[in-house]
Amino acid sequence: MSTSVAVVPGSFDPPTLGHLDVIRRAAGLYRQLHVLVVHNPDKEAMLPIAQRLALLEQSIAEAEIEGDIVVASWSMGLLVDYATDVGAGVLVKGIRSQVDVAYETPMAIVNRNLAHVETVFLLPDPAHALVSSSLVRQVAALGGDVSPYVPGPVARFLDTGARDI
Ligand code: PNS
């Protein structure tokens, strides 16, 4: 397992500018980055996993984020099993507030106990500190403009109503 290979896991439902900020900065810190779409059973999904993968790939390409970036999904078990499979010793999470700290801390401890995988928290760019996928889902569902909060490919996808297909 290498501390130069990291995983950025999340629901990415949909990817936001906050996610992209974390991905860009993590890509500058690690030799290889795996952006991993994981189904979160605690959340009702808006987009199918395949759509989230496509939007992440398009958003990373359009933002011209450089580095060795793998976009993948994982539904075969523990997140740390994926990390171990690809030789990643680090998980990277964005932390916007004390609420995120409270949510992420137990997961970080469990993941380290399970597989000696460390979790690194990145603070958000203040411009994205209040952006969340759940807010974007709500605004999009009610017909509002989400373009200030999401990458171009996501804004265009939600705007065309393609999510109803
Ligand atoms: O974007 P989210 O919904 O906050 O991401 C949460 C996620 C998917 C990273 C988290 O639910 C997760 O790690 N799920 C994988 C299942 C797992 O390994 N659970 C045990 C350790 S927390």
Side-chain angles (χ1 to χ4, degrees):
M1 248 180 358
S2 168
T3 51
S4 63
V5 180
V7 180
V8 179
S11 302
F12 301 108
D13 185 33
T16 67
L17 289 177
H19 291 135
L20 220 55
D21 174 46
V22 169
I23 291 167
R24 184 195 299 280
R25 288 158 57 204
L29 291 172
Y30 297 95
R31 179 177 57 76
Q32 185 179 61
L33 195 68
H34 293 253
V35 180
L36 191 69
V37 178
V38 185
H39 171 66
N40 185 340
D42 296 335
K43 296 179 179 172
E44 194 182 339
M46 176 176 75
L47 302 175
I49 300 267
Q51 190 62 57
R52 296 182 229 170
L53 285 171
L55 290 172
L56 270 171
E57 278 166 0
Q58 291 162 20
S59 300
I60 290 167
E62 193 172 287
E64 298 181 346
I65 298 176
E66 292 182 1
D68 182 357
I69 302 177
V70 177
V71 179
S73 64
W74 182 244
S75 56
M76 305 288 285
L78 292 169
L79 170 60
V80 292
D81 290 342
Y82 177 89
T84 306
D85 279 0
V86 299
V90 179
L91 306 175
V92 177
K93 301 283 190 84
I95 287 286
R96 291 160 302 187
S97 68
Q98 290 300 324
V99 175
D100 283 349
V101 174
Y103 174 66
E104 295 291 349
T105 300
M107 291 198 280
I109 292 168
V110 166
N111 286 327
R112 197 180 52 190
N113 288 344
L114 283 168
H116 306 291
V117 173
E118 295 287 355
T119 299
V120 168
F121 294 131
L122 293 183
L123 296 174
D125 182 308
H128 308 307
L130 300 175
V131 179
S132 70
S133 293
S134 57
L135 267 178
V136 169
R137 286 198 297 275
Q138 195 173 104
V139 172
L142 297 172
D145 176 19
V146 296
S147 61
Y149 315 114
V150 297
V154 178
R156 292 192 289 276
F157 175 78
L158 294 177
D159 193 42
T160 59
R163 66 185 187 280
D164 295 331
I165 295 171

